[in-house]
Amino acid sequence: MAQAKSGSDRMEKIVSLCKRRGFVFQSSEIYGGLNGCWDYGPLGTELKRNLKDFWWRRMVRERDDVVGMDGSILMNRQVWVASGHENTFTDPMVDCRNCKSRLRADQLPEKNGRKQCPVCGSFDLTEPRAFNLMFKTYVGATEDESAITYLRPETAQAIFVQFRNILEVSRKKLPFGIAQIGKAFRNEINPRNFTFRSREFEQMELEYFCRPENGLELLEYWLQERLRFYRDIGLSSESLHVHKIPPEECAHYSKGTYDIEFEFPFGIQELEGVAYRTDYDLNQHQKASGKPLDYFDEESKQHFIPHVVEPSAGVDRTALALISAAYDEEVVTDEKGKSETRTVLRFHPRMAPIKCGVFPLLKNNELLVRQAREIVDQLRGEMMVFHDETGAIGRRYRRQDEAGTPFGVTVDFDTIGENGPALRDTVTVRHRDSMEQERIAIKELTAFLGERIR
Ligand code: ATP
């Protein structure tokens, strides 16, 4: 219980910091919000961008065997019929007869073996019934049955239905993958845990097509690759868990699924699913569309439908994991012996929204300010920088600590040569985590920072 309390305390602090510093706001806040929808502010947007860029770099740019695509959110309804989403993309829902809450049946707390309403504590619940999670909409001006389609609940289906086109234009041979990042929508019964379970979110998905005989081996390969990715964005090995889904709980077409989980303050929860989906999706679309989605193997002169391994990750969940892992408070004592609590987001520099704060020691000294501005211009093409000239230098450092900025550059009187030529054109670089400072020549700054944030 003590742990649960400290987890919820920590979560409260994280949510409050996210709002205070502009990582995440409630969507439509001035109208009372919209449940399950969030807006990212300036820092949150940079964080998500860094995450998506690094995923793209690892999964597409650094590889010969993966290409990208960017599909539309609205697709022909038949895609969702063929994929099985229209009939089976459901969660079990119950109603509480006492307080009228709608609840997800598989996430209810139990007391003495009986399912209980988490809102009012009543045991008077209806039988579970299937609730389809797709948002229905109409395409065009007529709101009839023929105009129905859905906001996509995952990005993957666009990859399957474009398989043939992409195979032809990319001229790839098996095994090869198609990667995509984009929005997905699910009408979750109970959005909760801040951005963790939202109704609108972003996914980063790879469909890696292969020969049937290599599927199981590639499932293991992708699990390891994805764990390496999470470590490389700064999530510790100890905070990551792998949950092998028991065969009876896997989708009927899956020959193996892993969940990669992270220790959030509210418990260990899924970040990503890595699933071996066999040839199910391509087969379904080939059958339903009547168009060939097979592969011609030049060596054996045979046609077959490739199998696929799918690592499917959530941008928002991973961003929340990054913030949760980075959040830290420590008591620091200054030279005068005064102690205060420092809140610091210890992001990996490659994920940090702002890479470097640039501070002229005094704002009313024209030379200091001009030099700081020149440094901002020098760095700006390479990274996100932030110029701050207001308040005591210690306060400015603290503000950047809370934003997770790994480096601070201070332009002082040594920089402009007022104390002699020795330190002219050098600045102090302050490191966020250790708070240590070192002296660096301005002309070396771009390379010095560049290699640390890559
Ligand atoms: P859960 O069991 O938590 O509902 P899922 O197993 O249905 O998730 P998948 O369909 O495997 O999720 O989707 C792949 C990834 O997309 C998830 O691992 C997660 O990171 C992200 N994701 C799915 N649903 C949501 C959501 N409602 N909000 C935020 N991210 C989501």
Coordinates of all heavy atoms in Angstrom, one line a residue, residues 98-130:
N98 N -25.5 0.5 -9.8 CA -25.7 1.5 -8.8 C -25.3 2.9 -9.2 O -26.1 3.8 -9.2 CB -24.8 1.1 -7.6 CG -25.0 2.0 -6.4 OD1 -26.1 2.4 -6.1 ND2 -23.8 2.4 -5.8
C99 N -24.1 3.1 -9.8 CA -23.6 4.5 -10.1 C -23.7 4.7 -11.6 O -23.3 5.8 -12.0 CB -22.3 4.8 -9.5 SG -20.9 3.9 -10.3
K100 N -24.0 3.7 -12.4 CA -24.2 3.9 -13.8 C -22.9 4.0 -14.6 O -22.9 4.4 -15.8 CB -25.1 5.1 -14.2 CG -26.4 5.1 -13.4 CD -27.4 4.0 -13.9 CE -28.7 4.0 -13.0 NZ -29.1 2.7 -12.6
S101 N -21.8 3.8 -13.9 CA -20.5 3.9 -14.6 C -20.4 2.7 -15.6 O -20.9 1.6 -15.4 CB -19.3 3.7 -13.6 OG -19.3 4.7 -12.8
R102 N -19.7 3.0 -16.8 CA -19.4 2.0 -17.8 C -18.0 1.6 -17.5 O -17.1 2.4 -17.5 CB -19.5 2.6 -19.2 CG -20.9 3.0 -19.5 CD -21.2 2.5 -20.9 NE -22.5 1.9 -20.9 CZ -23.4 2.0 -21.9 NH1 -23.1 2.7 -22.9 NH2 -24.5 1.3 -21.8
L103 N -17.7 0.3 -17.4 CA -16.4 -0.2 -17.0 C -15.9 -1.3 -17.9 O -16.7 -2.1 -18.5 CB -16.5 -0.7 -15.6 CG -17.1 0.3 -14.6 CD1 -17.7 -0.5 -13.3 CD2 -16.1 1.3 -14.2
R104 N -14.6 -1.4 -18.0 CA -14.0 -2.5 -18.8 C -14.0 -3.7 -17.9 O -13.3 -3.7 -16.8 CB -12.6 -2.1 -19.2 CG -12.3 -2.9 -20.5 CD -11.0 -2.3 -21.1 NE -10.1 -3.4 -21.3 CZ -8.9 -3.3 -22.0 NH1 -8.6 -2.1 -22.5 NH2 -8.1 -4.3 -22.1
A105 N -14.7 -4.8 -18.3 CA -14.9 -6.0 -17.5 C -13.6 -6.7 -17.1 O -13.5 -7.2 -16.0 CB -15.8 -7.0 -18.2
D106 N -12.6 -6.6 -18.0 CA -11.3 -7.4 -17.6 C -10.4 -6.5 -16.8 O -9.3 -7.0 -16.5 CB -10.7 -7.8 -18.9 CG -10.4 -6.7 -19.9 OD1 -11.0 -5.6 -19.7 OD2 -9.5 -6.8 -20.7
Q107 N -10.8 -5.3 -16.4 CA -9.9 -4.5 -15.5 C -10.5 -4.2 -14.2 O -10.1 -3.2 -13.5 CB -9.5 -3.2 -16.3 CG -8.6 -3.5 -17.4 CD -8.2 -2.3 -18.2 OE1 -8.9 -1.3 -18.1 NE2 -7.2 -2.4 -19.1
L108 N -11.5 -5.0 -13.8 CA -12.2 -4.6 -12.5 C -11.5 -5.2 -11.3 O -11.0 -6.3 -11.4 CB -13.6 -5.2 -12.5 CG -14.6 -4.6 -13.5 CD1 -15.9 -5.4 -13.5 CD2 -14.9 -3.2 -13.2
P109 N -11.4 -4.4 -10.2 CA -10.9 -5.0 -9.0 C -11.8 -6.1 -8.5 O -13.0 -6.0 -8.7 CB -10.8 -3.8 -8.1 CG -11.8 -2.8 -8.6 CD -11.9 -3.0 -10.1
E110 N -11.2 -7.0 -7.7 CA -12.0 -8.1 -7.1 C -12.0 -8.0 -5.6 O -10.9 -7.7 -5.0 CB -11.5 -9.4 -7.6 CG -12.0 -9.8 -9.0 CD -11.7 -11.2 -9.4 OE1 -11.7 -12.1 -8.5 OE2 -11.5 -11.4 -10.6
K111 N -13.1 -8.3 -5.0 CA -13.0 -8.4 -3.5 C -13.7 -9.8 -3.2 O -14.8 -10.0 -3.6 CB -13.8 -7.3 -2.9 CG -13.5 -7.1 -1.4 CD -14.0 -5.7 -1.0 CE -13.9 -5.6 0.5 NZ -14.7 -4.4 1.0
N112 N -13.0 -10.6 -2.4 CA -13.5 -11.9 -2.0 C -14.0 -12.7 -3.3 O -15.1 -13.3 -3.3 CB -14.7 -11.8 -1.0 CG -14.2 -11.1 0.3 OD1 -13.0 -11.1 0.6 ND2 -15.1 -10.4 0.9
G113 N -13.2 -12.5 -4.3 CA -13.6 -13.3 -5.6 C -14.7 -12.7 -6.4 O -15.1 -13.3 -7.4
R114 N -15.2 -11.5 -6.0 CA -16.3 -10.9 -6.7 C -15.9 -9.6 -7.4 O -15.2 -8.8 -6.7 CB -17.5 -10.6 -5.8 CG -18.2 -11.9 -5.4 CD -19.2 -11.6 -4.3 NE -20.4 -10.9 -4.8 CZ -21.2 -10.1 -4.1 NH1 -21.0 -9.9 -2.8 NH2 -22.3 -9.6 -4.6
K115 N -16.3 -9.4 -8.6 CA -15.9 -8.1 -9.3 C -16.6 -6.9 -8.7 O -17.8 -7.0 -8.4 CB -16.2 -8.2 -10.8 CG -15.7 -9.4 -11.5 CD -14.6 -9.0 -12.4 CE -14.1 -10.2 -13.3 NZ -12.7 -10.2 -13.5
Q116 N -15.9 -5.9 -8.5 CA -16.4 -4.7 -7.8 C -16.3 -3.4 -8.7 O -15.4 -3.3 -9.5 CB -15.6 -4.5 -6.6 CG -16.2 -3.5 -5.6 CD -15.4 -3.4 -4.3 OE1 -14.2 -3.6 -4.4 NE2 -16.0 -3.0 -3.2
C117 N -17.3 -2.5 -8.5 CA -17.2 -1.3 -9.3 C -16.1 -0.4 -8.6 O -16.2 -0.1 -7.4 CB -18.5 -0.5 -9.2 SG -18.4 1.2 -9.9
P118 N -15.1 0.1 -9.4 CA -14.0 0.9 -8.7 C -14.5 2.3 -8.4 O -13.8 3.0 -7.6 CB -12.9 0.9 -9.8 CG -13.6 0.6 -11.1 CD -14.8 -0.2 -10.8
V119 N -15.6 2.7 -8.9 CA -16.1 4.0 -8.6 C -16.9 4.1 -7.3 O -16.6 4.9 -6.4 CB -17.0 4.6 -9.8 CG1 -17.4 6.0 -9.6 CG2 -16.2 4.5 -11.1
C120 N -17.9 3.2 -7.2 CA -18.7 3.3 -6.0 C -18.6 2.1 -5.0 O -19.2 2.1 -3.9 CB -20.2 3.5 -6.4 SG -20.9 2.0 -7.1
G121 N -17.9 1.0 -5.5 CA -17.7 -0.1 -4.6 C -18.8 -1.1 -4.7 O -18.8 -2.2 -4.0
S122 N -19.8 -0.9 -5.5 CA -21.0 -1.8 -5.6 C -20.6 -3.1 -6.3 O -19.6 -3.1 -7.1 CB -22.1 -1.1 -6.4 OG -23.0 -2.1 -6.8
F123 N -21.3 -4.2 -6.0 CA -21.0 -5.5 -6.7 C -22.1 -5.7 -7.7 O -22.2 -6.7 -8.4 CB -21.0 -6.7 -5.7 CG -19.8 -6.6 -4.8 CD1 -20.0 -6.0 -3.5 CD2 -18.6 -7.0 -5.2 CE1 -18.9 -6.0 -2.6 CE2 -17.5 -6.9 -4.3 CZ -17.7 -6.4 -3.0
D124 N -23.1 -4.8 -7.8 CA -24.2 -5.0 -8.7 C -23.9 -4.5 -10.1 O -24.1 -3.4 -10.6 CB -25.4 -4.1 -8.2 CG -26.7 -4.5 -8.8 OD1 -26.7 -5.4 -9.6 OD2 -27.7 -3.8 -8.6
L125 N -23.3 -5.5 -10.9 CA -22.8 -5.2 -12.2 C -23.5 -6.0 -13.3 O -23.9 -7.1 -13.0 CB -21.3 -5.5 -12.3 CG -20.4 -4.8 -11.3 CD1 -18.9 -5.4 -11.4 CD2 -20.4 -3.3 -11.4
T126 N -23.7 -5.5 -14.5 CA -24.4 -6.2 -15.5 C -23.4 -7.3 -16.0 O -22.2 -7.3 -15.8 CB -24.7 -5.3 -16.7 OG1 -23.5 -4.8 -17.2 CG2 -25.7 -4.3 -16.3
E127 N -23.9 -8.2 -16.8 CA -23.1 -9.2 -17.5 C -22.2 -8.5 -18.5 O -22.7 -7.5 -19.1 CB -23.9 -10.2 -18.3 CG -24.6 -11.3 -17.4 CD -23.5 -12.1 -16.6 OE1 -22.6 -12.6 -17.3 OE2 -23.5 -12.1 -15.4
P128 N -21.0 -8.9 -18.8 CA -20.1 -8.3 -19.8 C -20.7 -8.4 -21.2 O -21.3 -9.4 -21.5 CB -18.8 -9.0 -19.8 CG -18.9 -9.9 -18.6 CD -20.3 -10.0 -18.1
R129 N -20.6 -7.3 -22.0 CA -21.0 -7.5 -23.4 C -19.9 -6.8 -24.3 O -19.2 -5.9 -23.7 CB -22.4 -6.9 -23.7 CG -22.5 -5.4 -23.3 CD -24.0 -5.1 -23.2 NE -24.2 -3.7 -23.0 CZ -23.9 -3.1 -21.8 NH1 -23.5 -3.7 -20.7 NH2 -24.1 -1.7 -21.7
A130 N -19.8 -7.2 -25.5 CA -18.8 -6.7 -26.4 C -19.0 -5.3 -26.8 O -20.1 -4.9 -27.3 CB -18.6 -7.6 -27.6

